[in-house]
Structure formats: C-alpha cells, structure tokens
Amino acid sequence: MWGWVLRKGASALSQLPCLALLLWVSCLSVTCHDLGRGLLSPRVANGSVPVVGRHARSYPHLEGDVRLRRLLCVTNYFLKIDADGKVGGTTKEDCPYSVLEITSVDVGIVAVRGVESKYFLAMNEKGKVYGSREFTTDCELKERMEENKYNTYASYKWRHKQRQMFVALNGKGKPKRGQKTKRKNTSAHFLPMQIDRRLY
C-alpha cells in the first residue's frame, strides 16, 4: 500500500511543474485579454493607475476659467462697455456696464465681455477698440501681469509695425488707438478688481 501511495505521489509531484506552467499561461492570457478590452489598467511603479486618453494634469486656463472683475485703469477710470457696444471709461464704482466677465480661451489669451451689455471687448486691424456682439478673433486679447502688478490687454491677432497694440484709456476716459499705445504706457495698465459673483 505504501509503495502505491509513494508511486502515485511521485507521479503527481512530477506533474506539478506542468500544472503550474499551464495555470500561469492561462492567467497571462486572461490578463492580456482584459487589458485589450480596457477592463484592467496597467500600473506604474508608484502603484497609481494612469488614465488612458487624458492628461494627468488639469489646466484651468484651457477649461474656460471665468472671472468676474472690474478693470481699473491707472488713469482712474473703470473700463466699461455700454448697451450699444461703445467702449469707454467711468469713474462710477457701481456702474453696471463696468462689470466684466473675463474668460480664458487659451494659454494667456482671454475674452472680456460686459455682463450687462453682452458685448465683447474687441480691437480691429486699425487699432480701434469697440464692442462686438459676436466673439471673433478681434476679441482675443493677450493678458499679461506687468511688474507693477497691473494687467495689460493686447490684441492677439493685430499688430502695428510689428508692435503689439494695447487696450488703453486716456486721461479723459476715452479709448486710445492701438497704434498709439505701448506696454510701458500706464494708460494701458489695468487693476482687476474682484466682484462678489452673488450680486450678478
């Protein structure tokens, strides 16, 4: 009896490597199949699971980041866009036409829209600042924070003699032609003032 048991045990033990190999191949096949179907995700060294088809980081400026602001020029005028689309300045802190919605549309590029008037701030090829009912390439503005912590807004599309043209308000609150502006001109410098969104 003992001899039979030993022989059966030896036979079974000799087959163990084959059984283990068969089981390993079977598991590998299932895993590869599930990976192909997207049921399993490969893990990187730190144990995290990468998301396929998406960037690992989130970039708010590419997701329509919206800010509600008043833009106060160094010349002491708030930028406003009237009901008829006319752009100018006002000294009234509670002027509804000076409430602006600044939306990021690309890296460093924004759209500025009057909350009350529904017009976009725009600049044409001749450097004229105006309000546009529709969003066009004239409405794409390069937003930059300057060394003095004020922001400048330049036309993304148009230039004058290879120089950028900026949105600016003169000492009387009138918009200046883009050709007559420079980054260092304080009339082109605006301080974004935060507004309580619950009020609008």
Side-chain angles (χ1 to χ4, degrees), residues 4 9 34 48 88 99 113 116 122 146 148:
W4 180 84
D34 288 342
S48 62
V99 180
R113 181 172 178 259
E116 186 71 22
E146 303 297 332
N148 60 0

Side-chain angles (χ1 to χ4, degrees), residues 8-9 20-21 24 26 35 43 46 63 72 75 80 87 105 111 116 128 158 167 175 180 190-191 194 198:
K8 291 290 286 185
L21 179 61
W24 180 78
S26 177
L35 279 172
R43 292 180 179 269
N46 62 5
E63 298 173 358
L72 177 61
T75 57
K80 67 171 183 172
V87 178
V105 296
E116 186 71 22
K128 180 182 178 181
W158 307 115
V167 175
K180 298 181 180 181
F190 294 88
L191 181 65
Q194 193 167 354
R198 292 173 298 180

